[in-house]
Structures are given as structure tokens and as C-alpha cells.
């Protein structure tokens, strides 16, 4: 793929990460308002989300430094990291 496709893919992933980061922030705000047990449960979910978020950010950083050919090899790992974060965020949002 071309450099412009790589850049468009990076921009799409960064926008999604930014949106999910805002969603995690909203869950943290909700946790601060919750009763003690709900706060504990929600914080555990948030910790998991932040782990997945970090993994996705690392993969995005790898993509940014990858050459035009190598980034295709990274694409599957990047998509897996994003899928993990997306599923965990959806589960946390549905639960709370």
C-alpha cells in the first residue's frame, strides 16, 4: 500500500483511540459517582480498558515508524489490539 493509505489508516486509528479515550474518561467519572462496590467493579473494568488502550497505542506507534512495506505486516496485530479495546469498552459500557 502507498504512504497515503498508511497515513489515512493511522489517522483513522488515532481518531478511534481518541474517541475510546473519551469513553474511558466518562467511565472514570461515572465510577467517582458510584457507590463503593460499583466503584470497585468499574475500576477493575477501567484498569482492563487502560491495558488494552496502552497495547493499541503501542501498536499505533509501531505503525508510525514502520516502513511502507512493513506496516502491512503490523496491520493484523494493530487490528487485534483495537478489537480487544473495542469489545472491552462495549462490555464495560453495557454493564455500567
Amino acid at each position: 500500500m502507498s504512504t497515503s493509505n498508511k497515513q489515512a489508516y493511522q489517522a483513522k486509528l488515532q481518531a478511534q483511540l481518541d474517541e475510546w479515550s473519551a469513553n474511558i474518561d466518562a467511565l472514570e467519572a461515572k465510577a467517582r459517582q458510584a457507590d463503593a462496590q460499583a466503584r470497585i467493579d468499574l475500576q477493575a473494568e477501567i484498569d482492563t480498558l487502560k491495558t488494552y488502550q496502552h497495547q493499541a497505542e503501542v501498536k499505533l506507534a509501531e505503525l508510525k515508524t514502520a516502513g511502507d512495506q512493513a506496516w502491512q505486516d503490523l496491520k493484523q496485530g494493530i487490528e487485534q489490539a483495537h478489537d480487544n479495546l473495542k469489545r472491552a469498552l462495549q462490555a464495560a459500557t453495557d454493564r455500567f
Side-chain angles (χ1 to χ4, degrees):
M1 287 213 174
S2 70
T3 299
S4 63
N5 286 345
K6 177 184 167 189
Q7 290 171 342
Y9 186 67
Q10 285 176 2
K12 175 185 154 193
L13 293 177
Q14 186 62 59
Q16 189 64 67
L17 275 175
D18 292 344
E19 179 183 334
W20 289 337
S21 181
N23 291 343
I24 292 169
D25 290 345
L27 284 172
E28 286 180 312
K30 187 181 270 190
R32 286 190 294 275
Q33 302 297 320
D35 64 45
Q37 186 58 49
R39 186 174 25 245
I40 291 168
D41 294 342
L42 191 49
Q43 190 58 53
E45 295 283 337
I46 290 168
D47 291 344
T48 299
L49 289 170
K50 286 188 174 192
T51 298
Y52 286 138
Q53 180 182 29
H54 176 73
Q55 290 170 352
E57 288 169 348
V58 167
K59 292 294 185 183
L60 182 58
E62 289 174 5
L63 173 67
K64 289 179 179 179
T65 61
D68 288 343
Q69 296 299 320
W71 81 271
Q72 281 289 26
D73 296 334
L74 295 171
K75 192 174 178 182
Q76 182 178 359
I78 292 164
E79 290 178 357
Q80 180 65 44
H82 274 255
D83 287 346
N84 289 343
L85 179 55
K86 180 181 178 180
R87 281 193 305 275
L89 184 57
Q90 186 61 51
T93 303
D94 289 349
R95 188 167 171 217
F96 300 100

